[in-house]
Amino acid sequence: MVGTPADSAEKIIIFDTTLRDGEQVPGSQLNTLEKIEVARALEALGVDVIEAGFPISSPGDFKSVVEISKVVDRPVISALTRAIEKDIDVAAEALKYAKKGRIHTGIGTSPYHIYSKFNSTPEQILERAVQMVKYAKKYVDDVEFFAEDAGRSDNEFLARVVEAVIAAGATVINIPDTTGYCTPYEYGAKIKYLKDNVANVDKAVLSAHCHNDLGMATANALAGIMNGIRQVECTINGIGERAGNTSLEEVVMILKCRKDIPAYTDIDTTKIIKTSRLVSNLMRMPVQPNKAIVGRNAFAHSSGIHQDGVLKNRENYEIIDPADIGVSDSSIVLTARSGRAALDHHLRRLGYELSHAELDVAYSKFLVLADAQKSVSDEDLRNLAGTGTVEDAR
Ligand code: KIV
Ligand code: ZN
């Protein structure tokens, strides 16, 4: 199961953008106090960077970046900008109380962005990218550059841009798959291409920012890690534009579970479920029941074969100890698919020890009840354990 990282493992910087990309979800806007609450929870969770907002986008976003900068101590606070001087001025102002501030600026590098969004040329885009990184460097040492739609950008041009912005002083280079179009193979190959073809690439940290339009955001971030990514941009519960972003809890738990991947994070995983629920409640965004790691069914076993297996040895059907993410225990859900072992488990939990023959009788009654109603309550079980009939149990 879960182990400790190998000595040679690389630390993956966790850049949480729940409060920026995540908060772009329609109907899920947070006020400043709620954002502060989430930022504090992210700090406690152990994220390395908090993207607190896009200060020029609204007075509320500006204020939130200011207030989060005041209360958060350890993580770097990042503020997003377009490649526009005014945006950068406003972001620098919003970051003035940050103990460690980062300006995250950038521009689109794909043919879509160059020609149909900016009505521009590759040379003009490259020049603007360099100018804006230099401009941001006047305010902060820590400048992250994003090449928007890098996923659909030509690798050769992308490499030229990345090389130029590193020379201009960018310390982190974000390679977003903005539209969630890349396959993991393609995204991994893109990162490898940059590692192999950009001069001084190791002077900057390469960052993965993947969207989930085709359900590949986490797989793409992982493919990036395998090829030299050292920062992953992600959100709690995978929330974000359209189908969302790489989910923090998925990346973190993959790296915790799979010791064959030589990478680790500093996240306190036992705080994952608490943070997931906080974000879900404040943003009014229920987590889908089968969501990996944090869905309510992620540790629920309902079929008889699985329940029997888990009761014999949890690891027969669980690759994560629920306690590792802060869930007290996995659950054995009683349904008409459950077997005797699950029924016996629950009866014992309630203090009933039935003989083999008694259990057989109780089990027959239980099946009738489970077929008739969606869930079987503890009260139902108490009735079953007594001498009552199936009718009594109803
Ligand atoms: O998806 C994206 O490209 C972004 C950038 C603004 C970083 O969110
Ligand atoms: Zn994004």
Side-chain angles (χ1 to χ4, degrees):
M1 281 247 271
V2 172
T4 47
D7 287 344
S8 58
E10 290 274 356
K11 150 104 187 227
I12 301 300
I13 297 163
I14 294 295
F15 175 116
D16 181 279
T17 184
T18 303
L19 294 172
R20 200 278 296 169
D21 220 335
E23 215 246 350
Q24 291 175 207
V25 173
S28 295
Q29 272 64 43
L30 299 177
N31 63 37
T32 300
L33 283 180
E34 290 168 332
K35 285 189 188 174
I36 290 174
E37 195 177 344
V38 172
R40 286 192 200 276
L42 293 172
E43 180 169 28
L45 183 66
V47 311
D48 302 286
V49 186
I50 295 175
E51 184 152 68
F54 181 10
I56 199 149
S57 66
S58 74
D61 235 39
F62 179 88
K63 183 167 174 233
S64 298
V65 176
V66 172
E67 298 305 323
I68 290 170
S69 297
K70 286 182 190 166
V71 301
V72 164
D73 293 323
R74 190 191 41 76
V76 171
I77 303 297
S78 177
L80 188 81
T81 84
R82 293 165 296 180
I84 295 176
E85 289 180 3
K86 180 75 183 145
D87 280 34
I88 295 172
D89 295 337
V90 172
E93 174 68 14
L95 287 170
K96 72 177 174 216
Y97 297 107
K99 285 95 199 160
K100 292 177 266 177
R102 172 180 298 179
I103 292 178
H104 185 192
T105 191
I107 195 161
T109 52
S110 71
Y112 290 100
H113 285 240
I114 298 171
Y115 302 110
S116 72
K117 181 171 158 188
F118 293 116
N119 192 20
S120 186
T121 66
E123 293 315 311
Q124 284 169 351
I125 293 290
L126 192 144
E127 198 189 322
R128 179 139 208 94
V130 168
Q131 276 173 1
M132 288 309 104
V133 168
K134 285 187 178 158
Y135 191 76
K137 284 297 265 195
K138 292 199 309 193
Y139 289 114
V140 286
D141 285 338
D142 190 354
V143 174
E144 173 165 343
F145 175 80
F146 67 83
E148 195 175 4
D149 207 13
R152 294 186 298 173
S153 298
D154 169 65
N155 283 350
E156 219 174 291
F157 177 61
L158 184 62
R160 279 184 63 210
V161 174
V162 170
E163 190 167 307
V165 295
I166 291 176
T171 43
V172 182
I173 308 293
N174 175 6
I175 309 297
D177 182 24
T178 305
T179 56
Y181 180 72
C182 285
T183 61
Y185 174 78
E186 234 178 327
Y187 190 76
K190 191 173 282 288
I191 302 303
K192 181 166 171 21
Y193 182 88
L194 296 175
K195 287 297 252 184
D196 291 344
N197 291 284
V198 170
N200 294 319
V201 70
D202 292 334
K203 277 193 171 172
V205 168
L206 292 188
S207 181
H209 178 114
C210 300
H211 278 268
N212 207 30
D213 299 66
L214 292 172
M216 295 189 285
T218 297
N220 283 341
L222 195 62
I225 290 171
M226 309 284 209
N227 285 281
I229 284 292
R230 290 294 166 264
Q231 174 179 283
V232 171
E233 307 194 5
C234 45
T235 59
I236 302 293
N237 302 334
I239 60 171
E241 280 277 348
R242 306 181 308 279
N245 290 59
T246 299
S247 132
L248 179 147
E249 59 277 8
E250 291 174 11
V251 175
V252 166
M253 290 314 292
I254 290 168
L255 297 183
K256 185 157 181 156
C257 287
R258 295 298 303 250
K259 287 300 123 207
D260 49 337
I261 304 171
Y264 68 97
T265 72
D266 282 341
I267 296 297
D268 176 355
T269 63
T270 62
K271 298 203 165 75
I272 283 179
I273 201 72
K274 198 172 148 203
T275 317
S276 160
R277 287 178 186 157
L278 175 75
V279 168
S280 166
N281 290 338
L282 290 178
M283 291 195 156
R284 299 164 296 277
M285 272 197 83
V287 175
Q288 74 189 62
N290 62 326
K291 165 83 180 62
I293 318 296
V294 292
R296 79 163 180 268
N297 290 347
F299 297 98
H301 304 277
S302 66
S303 88
I305 295 171
H306 286 215
Q307 290 176 334
D308 183 51
V310 167
L311 290 169
K312 284 179 176 142
N313 175 358
R314 179 197 289 284
E315 291 180 41
N316 285 339
Y317 284 100
E318 280 184 0
I319 58 165
I320 297 171
D321 183 337
D324 279 341
I325 66 146
V327 169
S328 54
D329 210 350
S330 38
S331 55
I332 302 289
V333 185
L334 286 177
T335 70
R337 307 297 146 249
S338 299
R340 280 175 182 70
L343 179 62
D344 189 36
H345 165 81
H346 278 285
L347 289 172
R348 281 173 195 272
R349 177 176 63 75
L350 296 173
Y352 296 100
E353 281 196 33
L354 272 58
S355 69
H356 202 81
E358 286 167 335
L359 186 63
D360 276 349
V361 175
Y363 184 63
S364 311
K365 293 185 203 169
F366 161 78
L367 285 181
V368 176
L369 196 60
D371 265 337
Q373 53 189 56
K374 281 205 171 92
S375 61
V376 177
S377 68
D378 283 357
E379 196 46 41
D380 293 331
L381 291 178
R382 286 191 187 94
N383 286 334
L384 282 176
T387 52
T389 64
V390 177
E391 284 310 313
D392 295 336
R394 284 194 184 129

